[in-house]
Structures are given as C-alpha cells and as structure tokens.
Amino acid sequence: MKRYATFFLSILLLAALTACGSGSSPSGKDAPPVRTPMGTKDTEQTSDLEQAYSDLVERFRTLVSDPFGQDSDEPGEMGVLETARGMGDDAPYEMGYLIEDLSGDGIPELAVGGLRGMTNALYTLVDGKPELVFEGWYRSSYVYLGDGRFYYYGSNSAAESGQGVFALTKDGTRLECESFLFTGLNSDGDVVVYSNETGSWDIAESEKSDMTAEEFWALDPLGEPLPLIPFSGAEAGGTNGSAFPVSVDYLPEGMLPGYWVTLYDGDGAAFLLFTTDSPVTEFTVLALELKDFTETGAAIFSAAPVVLEEGLDSLPEVMTVDTPVAVQLGFMGTIPNYGISYVDENGDLRRFALVQSGYDGSVLLDEADPRETQFILPGEVSE
C-alpha cells in the first residue's frame, strides 16, 4: 500500500474516528457478547454456519447494486453504502464479501468491503446469529493485515490523527489494540506523536513518541486485501474495466500529455492524469465549494468551471483515448475542492468530486447524485 506522506493527505485519510468494535472507540471496554461454542468444525457444520449469513449477504448485495436507490442508518450498512455510492455503477464489481474464519476459533466471520483494500463491515456469529464486530468507512478505515489483524486509520480533528494495529480476539467478537499512535498539539501548538497499547486518545495515558509528525504520516503498513467475492459474481473491474469512461490516476513520472491544466503549483501539489476508454465531450475541471448539508447529511456544493490560463492551460474539445489530460492541483483538506464533469457517449452529464482514498492514497472519483441538478455528494463531509 503506497502512502503519500503529505499533511493534506493525512488529514483526508484520517478524519472522524470510528469504533474498533460495534459502538465503541478503539479503547472501548464494552463487555463482549455471549458466544456459544458450536462444536468441531467440519464440512457440514461449516455450510450451516455460512448459511447463517445468507440473508445479510443478500442485503448487502441489494445495497451495493443500487446504492442511490437505497438508504440506511443501520450500523454495519452505512459504511458499505457510502463506499458503494462513491463507486457508482462499478460497486457490484469492486465490492464483495468473504465468509472465512479470521479469528481462528472455528466459527467463520463475514467481511464486506472493497476488493482492493478497505473492510467496511465485519460480522461474527453469536448464538448462531450475525453480530457486528466493527464498521469502517471513508474517513475511518480498517485494512486487513493477515492473521486476524487490522490496520486502523482515524481522527478526532485535523491535529488529532490516529493509526494502530488491532487484532480480533480469539472468539472473534471484538478488536483488541496491539499498538496505537496518535498526534496531538503540545502547549506550543506543535504536533506531537504519542503512543500506547490500549487505543486510548488520552495524552495522560500515553507516552510521547520519538517519531516525528512527518514519520507518522509516512507510515506504510504492508497488507493484502481480503480475497472477497464480488457481489456481481464476476471478476473485478466493471463491464469494461469501469462503468464510467473517464478514470484518474497519478501522472506517471516523465509523461507530458498534450493537454495540461495547472491549478496549484505549491508544496504538496498532486499531478493527476485523466484518461478515457471512449470519447466524451465537454470535459471540464470544476472548482467546488461546500455550501450546505441536506437533512440526510449529503453535502451540497457549488461547482464552477475553473478559469484556464490562456496559452498555458488547455482541454480537448472531444476527449478520446489519445487525448489524456494532466491536472496539477492541491488537496486542501477533508472537503473536496475540485471535481470534473463531462458528457458521455449516451449524452448523459456526469459529475465527480476528486478525493483521495482513505486506505491507500489513491485518487478517486466520487460521483455527485445524478438525480439532482445541484452538485450533491451522498453521505457526510466533515467541516
């Protein structure tokens, strides 16, 4: 997992702390639920245990297959729904589930999330019924490390970011902290890194670390995504690699596309490359500004085309496979400040916010609700 060690990225991928277990903080001391042993694990019993998750798997399949037509405030479903909305039509191909014994007690867990990293929800069986262990989402993420261990990213504020390793208990019902690092401001207003083995955010319960803030933000844990089964039942990647023709990635070193837009050239500037697998028209880079929230927590933005500098910036009239566009910009916090729009080959207007992934630093396109004339991003955006 390559991580980009800049201040703005650390804020983006570490915002709004979530629970390490269902309804608790990383240092939560909630009593674990009663979990009845279910005997020796064999093929028949394993099938019965996996069957206990069948309704839940189908529920998540419904959410992922139609994220904009669904809504939920049910713990365990909110993170999955948020991620699916960000992926749009690609969600059934890019998200999936796995039923496997991750804790090693003979009782399988159900993991739901993205095929390339983040675990959005983890369940185990208590008295034969699914029970939520933890939930992860865009600003509070868990990435699997192997051996029942997860790497956690979260934050209480821009200055208070946390990272740590948490392991499933032997019975699989909760996470326990192995190591935890977090940042805070000292009396001089400087960012200091603290450490403990409890998951506590309390400086009084922690030790000052020798690690610098820059080293903290540059941490790059090694882990492999869980081998999830796509909800589509097909290989990941969408019908043509992506349900949307335009995609974005970081600009390869040394590449100089013919079309270039410079929006920010200061420290920490990101160099992005937009490509398309089919012709689109009216490709536009947007400046976004958060204006308000809906009653459901969706964020309402103003979206205006950026002003191109004559003679330096340019965009193709028709964007094709042979006319990629490079954009140099800065990610200035947790709230998206840039986006794009274009008209696809079906004549549909598509609009997206540019965000950075909470678990691997990759740049993502988060689609604005196509049913709205305003630029509205489903879910919540931290102010």
Side-chain angles (χ1 to χ4, degrees), residues 17-31 33 74-76 78 122 131-137 142 173-175:
L17 175 66
T18 186
C20 273
S22 177
S24 63
S25 69
S27 58
K29 304 298 183 181
D30 298 345
E74 182 72 21
M78 293 182 288
L122 187 77
E131 184 155 325
L132 181 65
V133 180
F134 68 79
E135 181 175 23
W137 54 83
Y142 293 87
T173 59
R174 55 195 173 90
L175 291 176

Side-chain angles (χ1 to χ4, degrees), residues 69-87:
Q70 304 289 324
D71 202 4
S72 176
D73 57 3
E74 182 72 21
E77 296 184 359
M78 293 182 288
V80 171
L81 191 57
E82 180 191 67
T83 298
R85 286 174 172 174
M87 293 180 175

Side-chain angles (χ1 to χ4, degrees), residues 242-247 259 274-285 315-325 340-352 365:
S242 173
F244 301 113
V246 176
S247 58
Y259 294 92
F274 294 88
T275 58
T276 182
D277 58 15
S278 63
V280 301
T281 60
E282 300 180 36
F283 180 84
T284 306
V285 182
L315 293 173
E317 292 185 9
V318 178
M319 186 177 177
T320 69
V321 175
D322 298 322
T323 58
V325 177
I340 64 167
S341 67
Y342 58 85
V343 176
D344 64 22
E345 59 185 352
N346 296 319
D348 295 325
L349 175 65
R350 296 292 190 177
R351 302 167 299 166
F352 302 83
L365 294 173

Side-chain angles (χ1 to χ4, degrees), residues 66-382:
D66 184 22
F68 290 105
Q70 304 289 324
D71 202 4
S72 176
D73 57 3
E74 182 72 21
E77 296 184 359
M78 293 182 288
V80 171
L81 191 57
E82 180 191 67
T83 298
R85 286 174 172 174
M87 293 180 175
D89 291 345
D90 271 350
Y93 301 91
E94 296 288 351
M95 297 184 70
Y97 69 96
L98 178 69
I99 300 175
E100 185 173 305
D101 179 14
L102 300 178
S103 66
D105 67 344
I107 299 176
E109 279 71 43
L110 167 66
V112 180
L115 271 61
R116 309 187 193 282
M118 185 191 301
T119 300
N120 290 118
L122 187 77
Y123 292 81
T124 192
L125 294 176
V126 177
D127 291 336
K129 297 181 180 180
E131 184 155 325
L132 181 65
V133 180
F134 68 79
E135 181 175 23
W137 54 83
Y138 174 62
R139 297 175 194 84
S140 186
S141 59
Y142 293 87
V143 179
Y144 192 62
L145 294 175
D147 298 325
R149 298 158 67 246
F150 292 83
Y151 203 84
Y152 169 78
Y153 305 89
S155 183
N156 286 327
S157 67
E160 296 176 297
S161 299
Q163 304 187 46
V165 177
F166 291 81
L168 281 171
T169 55
K170 184 63 177 177
D171 64 4
T173 59
R174 55 195 173 90
L175 291 176
E176 289 185 340
C177 180
E178 291 186 354
S179 61
F180 188 62
L181 295 166
F182 68 97
T183 60
L185 297 178
N186 62 16
S187 57
D188 296 325
D190 299 321
V191 176
V192 178
V193 181
Y194 299 91
S195 67
N196 58 60
E197 296 180 355
T198 64
S200 172
W201 290 78
D202 190 341
I203 293 176
E205 299 177 6
S206 309
E207 297 182 355
K208 184 178 177 180
S209 172
D210 293 333
M211 181 180 292
T212 65
E214 288 73 18
E215 291 171 334
F216 170 87
W217 289 318
L219 289 173
D220 188 16
L222 296 176
E224 292 293 333
L226 287 166
L228 305 183
I229 301 169
F231 283 110
S232 66
E235 293 297 323
T239 53
N240 294 310
S242 173
F244 301 113
V246 176
S247 58
V248 62
D249 205 341
Y250 288 99
L251 180 70
E253 187 174 354
M255 182 177 180
L256 294 174
Y259 294 92
W260 191 288
V261 176
T262 300
L263 303 176
Y264 173 76
D265 60 2
D267 293 339
F271 297 84
L272 307 182
L273 182 69
F274 294 88
T275 58
T276 182
D277 58 15
S278 63
V280 301
T281 60
E282 300 180 36
F283 180 84
T284 306
V285 182
L286 304 173
L288 303 182
E289 183 180 355
L290 180 64
K291 290 297 186 181
D292 202 354
F293 292 91
T294 68
E295 293 182 356
T296 61
I300 303 173
F301 289 82
S302 64
V306 299
V307 178
L308 302 182
E309 188 170 348
E310 187 174 355
L312 296 177
D313 298 333
S314 61
L315 293 173
E317 292 185 9
V318 178
M319 186 177 177
T320 69
V321 175
D322 298 322
T323 58
V325 177
V327 178
Q328 181 179 344
L329 50 75
F331 291 103
M332 300 300 180
T334 63
I335 301 173
N337 52 319
Y338 290 112
I340 64 167
S341 67
Y342 58 85
V343 176
D344 64 22
E345 59 185 352
N346 296 319
D348 295 325
L349 175 65
R350 296 292 190 177
R351 302 167 299 166
F352 302 83
L354 287 169
V355 297
Q356 284 177 305
S357 167
Y359 56 87
D360 65 359
S362 59
V363 63
L364 305 173
L365 294 173
D366 192 359
E367 188 180 20
D369 193 333
R371 301 169 301 180
E372 301 287 348
T373 56
Q374 293 179 290
F375 194 106
I376 299 179
L377 292 181
E380 297 181 357
V381 174
S382 299

